[in-house]
Amino acid sequence: MGREMALRFARLGAIVVCVDINAAGNEETARMIRQEKGKAHTYQCDVTDRAAVMQLKEKVSREVGDVAILVNNAGIMPARPVLEQNEKEIRLMNDVNVNANIWMIQAFLPNMMARNYGHIVAMSSMAGLMGIRNLVPYCGSKYAVRGIMESLAVELRDDPRGLTGIKLTTIFPYIVDTGLCKHPRIRFQKLMKVLDAGEAADMIVDAVRREIVEMTLPPELHYMNRFIFRLLPFQAACTWNDFFNTGVDAQD
């Protein structure tokens, strides 16, 4: 999904800074952008390492310039009952899904604040809006992303400098065919279809351009979630979810 977003931003004329721990995959993304006559720079970085992220920021500022749009897209999803997930994978997941968001914000937000201009995009999940079996730690991490973005919005709003030029967008995908979700379970596939990465990227880039604060993928799930899991009593919401029989089965 990150690659598809990068391609779409490049087609709109953006200079794309591709950041990944996987150097080969990162270079392939940049090659695809350049093949379409776009502009791309690549940097290898472990975004769970705060010091490395701060060094990344300095290099990007020096070699490319100030970042106008920051997309925090890194994420991993172990899917098993909570008692079967070990400490190492849970700590790594929180480092990737939660801490990396904060490190990147701490690195790139100051220049945005100095110019009162910028946009931060965060990838939460429908698992950041509702509890899902086999995803207890993952749901916690995606609720955290939602909390980070909501509280950052309040912090920017209350800043006496009037930082109205900095926009925030949080994305809540249902299931996108990226390989991250190994065993999705969907009863009504026409109603709650799996999106391919290109479809999802089109929606995300459109949301950024329209400065939408929150968007579920597909968008119609936003209102379904607001009604079912925020207005109905817990047992009623669970009964509704049982009827739709959607979720993620445990990985092997």
Side-chain angles (χ1 to χ4, degrees):
M1 196 151 57
R3 171 175 287 172
E4 294 295 336
M5 282 188 279
L7 285 164
R8 281 153 178 78
F9 279 120
R11 289 166 191 160
L12 291 169
I15 300 172
V16 180
V17 176
C18 303
V19 178
D20 203 321
I21 196 170
N22 180 342
N26 209 27
E27 289 297 337
E28 176 64 13
T29 299
R31 185 194 65 77
M32 293 170 69
I33 291 171
R34 293 170 188 142
Q35 199 170 41
E36 295 185 359
K37 309 303 181 183
K39 297 179 180 179
H41 300 260
T42 59
Y43 295 88
Q44 185 177 16
C45 181
D46 177 359
V47 292
T48 70
D49 182 340
R50 187 180 187 276
V53 169
M54 295 302 164
Q55 292 173 4
L56 167 72
K57 183 265 176 187
E58 293 302 322
K59 289 184 68 176
V60 171
S61 295
R62 185 171 61 251
E63 298 173 6
V64 184
D66 290 338
V67 169
I69 302 174
L70 170 65
V71 182
N72 282 324
N73 184 61
I76 57 176
M77 189 180 76
R80 289 189 304 282
V82 63
L83 297 182
E84 295 179 16
Q85 297 191 33
N86 62 51
E87 178 185 359
K88 182 178 180 181
E89 66 185 348
I90 291 172
R91 288 188 181 278
L92 176 60
M93 185 204 63
N94 280 301
D95 279 341
V96 174
N97 294 7
V98 182
N99 292 341
N101 277 267
I102 297 173
W103 306 153
M104 294 292 280
I105 289 169
Q106 286 186 332
F108 292 98
L109 180 59
N111 282 357
M112 293 183 183
M113 294 174 76
R115 297 185 298 153
N116 190 22
Y117 181 78
H119 203 130
I120 298 175
V121 184
M123 301 302 296
S124 183
S125 168
M126 288 297 289
L129 295 170
M130 57 186 284
I132 300 174
R133 188 178 66 190
N134 296 316
L135 296 180
V136 173
Y138 180 79
C139 284
S141 74
K142 292 304 182 178
Y143 269 80
V145 171
R146 174 180 152 204
I148 289 166
M149 293 296 281
E150 288 183 0
S151 53
L152 179 58
V154 173
E155 194 165 293
L156 291 173
R157 179 182 179 275
D158 291 346
D159 193 289
R161 288 170 288 183
L163 299 174
T164 57
I166 301 173
K167 310 301 180 181
L168 306 178
T169 297
T170 307
I171 304 296
F172 299 92
Y174 170 53
I175 297 175
V176 180
D177 186 14
T178 62
L180 188 65
C181 183
K182 305 294 184 183
H183 302 295
R185 178 169 26 83
I186 309 167
R187 182 177 183 182
F188 301 108
Q189 296 195 15
K190 289 186 178 180
L191 178 63
M192 305 175 76
K193 69 171 185 173
V194 175
L195 298 174
D196 66 44
E199 288 178 297
D202 284 335
M203 294 178 188
I204 294 167
V205 172
D206 181 63
V208 173
R209 298 183 75 188
R210 292 163 58 197
E211 299 181 356
I212 293 175
V213 175
E214 289 187 350
M215 174 175 275
T216 60
L217 303 180
E220 54 267 23
L221 293 183
H222 176 85
Y223 299 101
M224 184 183 295
N225 175 268
R226 291 274 180 176
F227 173 70
I228 296 170
F229 290 96
R230 298 194 186 186
L231 296 179
L232 292 181
F234 177 72
Q235 290 299 334
C238 289
T239 300
W240 183 288
N241 201 42
D242 289 343
F243 173 74
F244 278 93
N245 192 29
T246 61
V248 176
D249 292 327
Q251 296 172 357
D252 299 329

